Amino acid sequence: MSGGLYRSANAGWGDDRRSDGATYISAEPLNQPALESTAPPAEQVGETSAATNSAVMAIGSLVSRGTGFLRTLALTAALGGALVGDAYTTAQILPGMVYEFLLGGILTSVLIPVLVRRRKSDADGGQAYAQRLLTLAVLALGVAVLLALLGAPLLTALYGGDQSSEGYRKLVTALSYLMLPMIFFTGLSALISAVLNTRGHFAAPMWAPILNNLVVIGTAGLYIAIFGAEIIKPEEMTTGRVLLIGGGTLLGVAIQSFGLLPALRKVGFRWKLRFDFRALGLAELGRLGIWMFCYVAVSQIGLIVLFNLLNRAGRENAAGPLIYNNVFLLLMMAHGIIAVSIITALMPRMSAAAADGRYADLAADLSRGTRTVSAVLAPIAVCYAVLATPLANTLFRYGAFSAENADATSLVLLVAAVALVPFAVSQLFTFAFYALPDTRTPALINIPVVALRIGVQIVLFAAFSASFAAAGMMIGNAVSYLAAAIGSAWLLRPRVGRIGLGGIVRTLGKVLVAAAGAALVGLLVVWLLPGDDTPSRLEAIVQLVIGGAVIAGTYLGLAMLLRIGEITEVVGMVRRRLGR
């Protein structure tokens, strides 16, 4: 867990998974096929080629991310950046918290690899095992929903803060009653997607979340059509408003789950209830998952502190959970499209190298990944920082999201830009441990990292006004990501040997020079363009387009001049393809 909000299919929760809620990530980084690290080997994919799977996932990823972002914009326009929007965001985090605590982290690190192994070793292709697992999951998720619904008021107090107004607490609780059942459908969707992945079917898990996004976009549009897009107080959220926005969010996740069922039959899987759970090897699953459970549990403490501080700031008309979440979404989009693509390409290679004892090869891939992630994400971070104001006004200032909300968003985005590269690098090092495989060390590293994050965030919250609170949370994130990367590198060296620290430092130095030059030129161009701190929409778009082009061009030129290998390789590859 990364210091941000969890993401369901609404692209609002911030761990390292996709913004559309799918259980795997895809792309074509480093000119390699885009299969997830837990995807089945080629012989299990059947007649469907890796290239076809990559194309399906790449297109689906693009559409999923696009509709997920439109979903966020629609909800932001409908609810605004004040207390009602904060209440929705807080209520939305509750099912994500419970789901991640009970299943989410264990799913990706334990259950999917086990399904892959049973698919290969069992005489029936792992069908009986998957049936038992799905049966147990349905029961466990059902119980989890029931317990969460009973504890909804307590969860509201935990994340909303005990100083919230009665109207705010009632609204969060009312929305939670409608959203907590998402635990069931999100968990079910993730498990079905895992079963499909292990059988070489990638299309349905990639495209089903788009149905979710479209349903919620329609819900937000209907909300605006019926009730209008205006800032209201929590006490003014009538039963009809709550039922529409909360029920529509739940409906989207349910449709996503049901949309996967036909694909199960297509791959020949029959869902039969099996209650002989002892055959699952629960003791083994427990041993494998205990450290990931610890990792998630520690992260929840940081999430509780984060939400309490953000909700306190929101009550003082400053940037609260919704604005913070929107900014974190922008970071995760860049991370997901670029960094996760690189990690996805490197993960199978690092895992294979670790399995064969070729630790020098693993270290080389890790070094290459660190340099590439940093070099490619740096200009995006510069754009986020330099173009924070036009970005906030262009993307979010619609409906109930006011100019003041856009100004608050720009400050948070400006500070958050610093966290982008450290976050991506820390994630890469975490996945290096998983490749070994080792879930214990990341869990232990996470304890001091979360403690550091909480400490920085509390100190900044106490030292500055509420208007800086959300930005202060981002600073805490950045500091903790940097600490996680350094700690992970230090603990990895005895395991895999030298990771080319000298080369990494030299590349980072060149990247910093190129980024600084691009930032200075970008600031000058934006200053010369029409529009001030509160540009009109047209002025903001002009600043965004011209400023972004200038920053990208300047960074690319400086990178070529400084001979940043990770950039020159990409440019050379593009030139070769264009020259064909």
Side-chain angles (χ1 to χ4, degrees), residues 190-402:
L191 282 167
I192 294 175
S193 296
V195 172
L196 291 172
N197 286 177
T198 60
R199 282 157 174 77
H201 187 87
F202 300 94
M206 178 61 69
W207 291 94
I210 298 172
L211 298 175
N212 184 347
N213 292 332
L214 294 176
V215 168
V216 180
I217 290 171
T219 298
L222 185 60
Y223 181 95
I224 293 173
I226 296 175
F227 302 110
E230 58 181 355
I231 298 177
I232 61 175
K233 297 178 180 179
E235 294 80 3
E236 298 177 276
M237 281 290 288
T238 62
T239 302
R241 290 173 181 259
V242 172
L243 287 175
L244 177 57
I245 203 70
T249 303
L250 173 61
L251 179 63
V253 180
I255 289 178
Q256 173 180 328
S257 299
F258 294 140
L260 292 170
L261 295 178
L264 280 179
R265 299 187 63 84
K266 184 177 180 180
V267 299
F269 182 84
R270 297 296 180 265
W271 193 334
K272 178 182 178 182
L273 295 178
R274 292 180 178 267
F275 297 95
D276 50 336
F277 300 136
R278 295 182 64 181
L280 285 172
L282 295 178
E284 177 191 4
L285 293 178
R287 286 194 300 271
L288 291 172
I290 186 63
W291 289 109
M292 181 57 68
F293 186 86
C294 174
Y295 186 97
V296 174
V298 170
S299 296
Q300 295 309 314
I301 299 174
L303 199 60
I304 291 171
V305 174
L306 173 73
F307 258 79
N308 270 272
L309 297 178
L310 288 173
N311 274 301
R312 289 170 186 263
R315 290 195 295 271
E316 298 184 34
N317 297 320
L322 184 138
I323 290 176
Y324 176 96
N325 194 36
N326 285 351
V327 171
F328 204 89
L329 169 61
L330 287 176
L331 294 186
M332 290 303 99
M333 286 186 66
H335 171 73
I337 293 172
I338 296 175
V340 168
S341 298
I342 295 171
I343 293 172
T344 301
L346 292 178
M347 187 64 178
R349 291 166 48 173
M350 291 193 297
S351 298
D356 297 340
R358 295 181 286 106
Y359 296 116
D361 292 342
L362 189 156
D365 282 334
L366 184 60
S367 177
R368 180 189 184 193
T370 301
R371 298 193 308 271
T372 303
V373 164
S374 302
V376 177
L377 283 181
I380 299 177
V382 171
C383 286
Y384 282 168
V386 174
L387 305 175
T389 296
L391 268 170
N393 282 274
T394 301
L395 296 179
F396 299 114
R397 205 178 80 186
Y398 299 96
F401 200 82
S402 65

Side-chain angles (χ1 to χ4, degrees), residues 76-90:
T76 299
L79 302 178
L83 290 177
V84 171
D86 289 343
Y88 177 89
T89 307
T90 302

Side-chain angles (χ1 to χ4, degrees), residues 91 93-98 144-145 147-153 155 173 175-185 250:
I93 207 67
L94 300 181
M97 179 275 296
V98 177
V145 169
L147 294 176
L149 289 172
L150 293 175
L155 292 173
T173 303
L175 288 169
S176 297
Y177 284 131
L178 292 169
M179 294 187 184
L180 284 171
M182 290 166 56
I183 298 168
F184 179 87
F185 295 109
L250 173 61

